[in-house]
């Protein structure tokens, strides 16, 4: 169990060293169950005769997301996170750092591929099942839920395709339904199979698939969190930037701890141990509580623990706020970016926090 007083949370994570559950099932039964799990996250692409002309900004955002230089929420807006993602990609690929989707950047980013920006998909039956819960704002009220999962199918779809419910509504005609078997337009984020992970007691493989994040990612040698830029940059052993994510870092009450730290461990789909004594803004009526895992939990789907006591890197239930609001001292990313980062780092990776 890990304690974060800055984020005001203890997180209990999966034990990666434990043997896989149900390892003695017959092979055919295991194969059938694996196929059923994959079917829940395999979105069938519906062919189009007259594909929509892409929003140029959204086209670049989707390509940046694929390449690991995240613009955060895919929304087609020419905002700060989008420009920062372009600058990061340009820097990593020895291009003029303009922050603009210029011709040279487009050639390098798209690699000559005529890949779609959005596509029509059919919503898998099992993906649509939920469960879904109306998640209250109060943490004590949240503790009464069996899981802090999505509020509805539209929100679940939005995170799967790295956007927000509002963007999905804007991409689709009035009256479009989010339901099993329905067709809906989404950003063109590829489906991923459910990863097979030894000791995966908290269904991390399914979490990755539910967020459209591949298990296999380039491996980090060290990371840098830049407070002024609001970015987390990932570097390989040759000091080459291989990924970049927008982040929210600290606040006046709980500032980002500048300095050099080390990743101590990763808790995937963690519990949240709420202690109101550690929250400067907690209600006097609040009590200690344990909140179950889920993407709408206070630390999202993953907690990356740091050698700086009580600090970590984690996801968020509100992806649209990344880079726009303050945190309780820790480093927050969208759930899909946090999940990707979790596949890139391991214990011992160095983390530098700079102003």
């Amino acid at each position: 169990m890990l304690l974060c007083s800055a984020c005001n949370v203890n997180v209990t994570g999966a034990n990666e060293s434990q043997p896989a559950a149900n390892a003695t099932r017959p092979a055919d039964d295991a194969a059938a169950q694996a196929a059923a799990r994959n079917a829940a996250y395999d979105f069938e692409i519906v062919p189009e005769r007259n594909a929509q002309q892409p929003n140029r900004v959204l086209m670049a955002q989707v390509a940046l997301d694929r390449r690991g230089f995240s613009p955060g929420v895919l929304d087609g807006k020419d905002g700060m996170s989008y420009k920062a993602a372009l600058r990061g990609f340009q820097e990593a690929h020895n291009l003029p750092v303009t922050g603009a989707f210029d011709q040279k950047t487009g050639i390098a980013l798209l690699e000559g591929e005529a890949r779609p920006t959005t596509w029509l998909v059919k919503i898998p039956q099992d993906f649509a099942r939920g469960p879904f819960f109306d998640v209250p704002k109060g943490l004590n009220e949240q503790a009464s839920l069996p899981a802090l999962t999505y509020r509805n199918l539209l929100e679940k779809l939005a995170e799967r395709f790295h956007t927000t419910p509002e963007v999905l509504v804007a991409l689709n005609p009035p009256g479009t339904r989010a339901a099993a078997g329905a067709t809906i337009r989404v950003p063109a984020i590829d489906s991923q199979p459910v990863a097979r992970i030894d000791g995966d007691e908290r269904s991390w493989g399914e979490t990755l698939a539910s967020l459209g994040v591949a298990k296999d990612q380039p491996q980090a040698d060290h990371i840098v969190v830049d407070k002024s830029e609001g970015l987390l940059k990932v570097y390989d052993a040759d000091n080459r930037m291989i990924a970049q994510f927008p982040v929210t870092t600290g606040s006046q009450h709980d500032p980002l701890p500048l300095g050099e730290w080390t990743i101590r461990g990763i808790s995937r789909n963690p519990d949240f141990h709420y202690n109101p004594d550690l929250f400067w803004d907690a209600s006097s009526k609040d009590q200690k509580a344990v909140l179950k895992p889920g993407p709408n939990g206070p630390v999202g789907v993953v907690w990356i623990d740091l050698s700086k006591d009580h600090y970590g890197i984690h996801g968020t239930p509100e992806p649209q706020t990344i880079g726009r609001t303050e945190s309780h001292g820790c480093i927050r990313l969208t759930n899909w970016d946090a999940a990707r980062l979790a596949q890139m780092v391991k214990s011992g990776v160095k983390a530098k926090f700079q102003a």
Side-chain angles (χ1 to χ4, degrees), residues 14-321:
N15 185 338
E16 298 174 72
S17 66
Q18 293 297 318
N22 302 315
T24 59
R25 285 179 179 151
D28 56 346
D29 184 38
Q33 293 196 17
R37 286 196 300 272
N38 281 325
Y41 305 103
D42 187 11
F43 283 76
E44 177 188 346
I45 299 172
V46 179
E48 297 183 76
R49 288 186 178 180
N50 298 307
Q52 290 187 351
Q53 291 297 317
N55 172 315
R56 184 171 171 80
V57 173
L58 184 59
M59 176 172 65
Q61 287 180 333
V62 171
L64 286 162
D65 183 286
R66 289 188 187 125
R67 300 293 293 275
F69 290 81
S70 173
V73 168
L74 304 181
D75 58 7
K77 296 180 180 179
D78 188 1
M80 293 185 298
S81 294
Y82 167 61
K83 287 184 169 65
L86 283 170
R87 289 194 299 270
F89 179 83
Q90 290 165 339
E91 178 185 342
H93 292 81
N94 298 313
L95 296 167
V97 181
T98 63
F101 188 37
D102 50 41
Q103 185 177 18
K104 288 184 178 180
T105 303
I107 292 171
L109 183 58
L110 302 175
E111 297 180 310
E113 293 185 77
R115 296 197 62 176
T117 296
T118 66
W119 47 33
L120 292 173
V121 296
K122 284 188 177 180
I123 303 171
Q125 190 83 26
D126 286 346
F127 187 91
R129 281 202 174 102
F132 304 110
F133 298 109
D134 185 10
V135 181
K137 290 185 177 181
L139 298 188
N140 277 157
E141 290 76 13
Q142 290 181 13
S144 66
L145 296 177
L148 290 172
T149 186
Y150 296 109
R151 297 173 179 86
N152 51 54
L153 178 56
L154 190 63
E155 185 182 46
K156 186 178 181 181
L157 284 165
E159 290 230 332
R160 163 61 184 82
F161 292 99
H162 304 181
T163 188
T164 64
E166 292 77 13
V167 171
L168 290 184
V169 169
L171 283 175
N172 287 275
T176 299
R177 291 191 318 122
T183 299
I184 188 169
R185 184 170 298 281
V186 294
I189 300 300
D190 294 324
S191 293
Q192 299 294 334
V194 176
R196 297 181 63 182
I197 303 172
D198 289 342
D200 187 9
E201 296 182 333
R202 294 202 168 200
S203 302
W204 181 245
E206 292 196 39
T207 297
L208 291 175
S210 75
L211 293 168
V213 174
K215 173 190 174 185
D216 296 329
Q217 299 288 341
Q219 294 302 290
D221 176 77
H222 59 283
I223 65 175
V224 174
V225 175
D226 191 291
K227 179 180 178 181
S228 62
E229 292 184 309
L231 296 171
L232 186 155
K233 301 179 180 182
V234 185
Y235 295 87
D236 65 13
D238 296 323
N239 203 36
R240 183 175 64 93
M241 184 162 59
I242 56 176
Q244 177 183 286
F245 307 105
V247 294
T248 293
T249 61
S251 67
Q252 180 179 358
H253 292 275
D254 301 296
L256 180 73
L258 304 181
E260 296 187 2
W261 315 104
T262 303
I263 291 175
R264 293 196 297 198
I266 304 169
S267 292
R268 296 168 170 88
N269 290 325
D271 293 335
F272 184 99
H273 291 245
Y274 174 49
N275 182 354
D277 294 339
L278 303 177
F279 278 71
W280 60 267
D281 54 353
S283 169
S284 59
K285 298 179 180 179
D286 282 359
Q287 299 178 346
K288 292 182 180 180
V290 178
L291 283 64
K292 297 299 183 183
N296 268 322
V299 295
V301 299
V302 69
W303 169 267
I304 300 173
D305 192 46
L306 297 168
S307 58
K308 171 66 175 176
D309 287 344
H310 317 319
Y311 283 81
I313 303 168
H314 60 83
T316 179
E318 302 293 341
Q320 72 279 2
T321 66

